[in-house]
Amino acid sequence: MALWRGSAYAGFLALAVGCVLLLEPQLPGSALRSLWSSLQLAPAPAGPGSPEGRLAAAWDALIVRPARRWRRVAVGVNACVDVVLSGVKLLEALGLSPGNGKDHTILHSKNDLEEAFIHFMGKGVAAERFFSDKEAFHDIAQIASELPGAQHYVGGNAALIGQKFAANSDLKVFPAVTSLGLNEQELLFLSQAASGPHSSLSSWNGVPDVGMVSDILFWILKEHGRSKSRASDLTRIHFHTLVYHILATVDGHWANQLAAVAAGARVAGTQACATETIDASRVSLRAPREFMTSHSEAGSRIVIDPSRPVAEWHREGVSFHFTPVLVCKDPVRTVGLGDAISAEGLFYSEVRPHY
């Protein structure tokens, strides 16, 4: 019915514009454009039947708490205060005007900050860079903190993850690293530093290729993860980028992965939009609908169905769970989002004890 209704509306629009052209052939082009834009139909709002709505409903059905609850979690010690504000307004307050973007491994001045900001803003990705000039950094931080509309939050990976777990469990710390949370830059830096898969890439070109990401995750767990011949305890990596997440785990050590990866992706949408639940009208599905699971070997092709949003594949003792992210169209708060994602995914994960 909706298909026929849409076709009828389209036919009516074509007929209306044709009549105008027939009766007024000399009508200015600007007037025709104005008429056409006023007649165009607005896109139907996303609802329960939309891909976003179906995916959110499928997540809700998948996300269940693990059978074994967390009792001990080790979180590194670091904390800071995050200042959240418009980057453009900060550049204006610093007396800088938009120029050419350029990446800097280390920032030495406010001009370096401006170039790095424009470079990464153009790519639509987050970035962290060390600022070498202590006094210049202090001045920039002071100006940022005092700008109208600036918001202050508890920051730092440990503080944010600790807050998330403390709200849900009675916890005590232990000296073992079993899990990592990584974004696309951190993952590529790791591979570049140790000459891993796809390390010749200087940066990702848009959305990170799922097969390449899968190859690097597999390499980390196989070459640097837990094994009988290695002292490492690493058995889990939660990779997150803007439009999708992958949870990679060594078989036999973790359970409830479907719920965990879905929970991490769900919180990305709710926290960015500042909503308690996913509002399908405020998010969009931008993840690749199909992809190859590897480029280092003969991988398989996977097609994503919003009604079954978690895809699973296996490779030599490592399991992969993939899910799209419902990206907030008009984000309210993105600072600390990666830490919230890692904490939420870990909270819904279940560790299988090995004695």
Side-chain angles (χ1 to χ4, degrees):
M1 179 64 73
L3 178 63
W4 287 109
R5 188 183 299 118
S7 301
Y9 287 161
F12 172 75
L13 287 174
L15 179 62
V17 174
C19 289
V20 170
L21 287 173
L22 180 65
L23 297 174
E24 295 290 343
Q26 304 304 318
L27 199 64
S30 60
L32 286 173
R33 284 192 296 271
S34 177
L35 173 64
W36 178 253
S37 59
S38 67
L39 286 172
Q40 286 190 83
L41 296 174
S50 68
E52 291 82 3
R54 288 187 288 131
L55 194 148
W59 276 344
D60 290 340
L62 285 173
I63 298 173
V64 294
R65 293 198 172 193
R68 291 173 58 87
R69 297 291 300 278
W70 285 94
R71 291 183 296 171
R72 300 184 299 168
V73 176
V75 179
V77 180
N78 78 314
C80 64
V81 175
D82 284 333
V83 182
V84 182
L85 73 160
S86 164
V88 174
K89 289 182 179 178
L90 175 59
L91 294 183
E92 291 173 347
L94 294 173
L96 300 170
S97 56
N100 295 323
K102 180 182 178 182
D103 187 15
H104 293 274
T105 305
I106 298 176
L107 304 180
H108 301 286
S109 67
K110 63 181 183 180
N111 289 322
D112 288 353
L113 173 64
E114 175 218 351
E115 290 178 347
F117 175 82
I118 294 170
H119 172 79
F120 288 103
M121 179 64 76
K123 293 178 176 291
V125 298
E128 293 183 11
R129 291 293 182 265
F130 177 74
F131 206 107
S132 65
D133 189 323
K134 182 178 179 180
E135 292 184 1
F137 176 79
H138 177 79
D139 291 341
I140 293 171
Q142 190 73 23
I143 292 171
S145 184
E146 295 174 356
L147 273 179
Q151 298 175 308
H152 298 77
Y153 296 96
V154 172
N157 306 64
L160 289 168
I161 294 175
Q163 273 190 328
K164 185 69 178 179
F165 272 87
N168 292 282
S169 306
D170 179 19
L171 302 174
K172 297 179 181 179
V173 296
F174 62 96
V177 177
T178 58
S179 177
L180 289 176
L182 299 171
N183 62 29
E184 66 270 27
Q185 289 192 72
E186 294 161 341
L187 186 77
L188 188 57
F189 288 161
L190 262 179
S191 187
Q192 291 169 340
S195 300
H198 313 297
S199 56
S200 60
L201 285 175
S202 59
S203 63
W204 297 109
N205 183 21
V207 175
D209 182 277
V210 176
M212 291 183 174
V213 168
S214 173
D215 290 336
I216 301 174
L217 293 173
F218 176 78
W219 166 76
I220 294 173
L221 289 174
K222 274 297 186 181
E223 297 297 323
H224 304 283
R226 184 169 183 171
S227 72
K228 294 180 179 178
S229 60
R230 197 179 299 120
S232 172
D233 285 315
L234 180 64
T235 53
R236 178 186 184 275
I237 304 175
H238 187 163
F239 170 81
H240 51 87
T241 188
L242 179 65
V243 299
Y244 69 84
H245 292 181
I246 297 177
L247 183 58
T249 53
V250 176
D251 291 349
H253 293 271
W254 298 86
N256 211 40
Q257 292 103 315
L258 271 76
V261 73
R266 183 177 65 177
V267 81
T270 56
Q271 180 161 315
C273 282
T275 56
E276 290 295 322
T277 58
I278 292 289
D279 182 344
S281 67
R282 296 183 58 188
V283 295
S284 61
L285 179 57
R286 304 181 191 175
R289 297 299 182 95
E290 61 178 80
F291 54 84
M292 295 298 296
T293 60
S294 174
H295 292 292
S296 295
E297 63 172 28
S300 58
R301 181 173 297 278
I302 288 182
V303 179
I304 295 298
D305 176 3
S307 299
R308 302 178 65 186
V310 178
E312 181 178 351
W313 66 94
H314 304 271
R315 183 176 173 183
E316 297 179 33
V318 176
S319 294
F320 297 85
H321 292 80
F322 168 102
T323 193
V325 171
L326 292 177
V327 182
C328 186
K329 298 175 184 176
D330 187 18
V332 176
R333 183 188 174 195
T334 56
V335 170
L337 194 55
D339 300 319
I341 289 166
S342 296
E344 190 80 354
L346 194 57
F347 178 74
Y348 279 92
S349 295
E350 180 179 340
V351 179
R352 288 178 172 167
H354 286 258
Y355 302 103

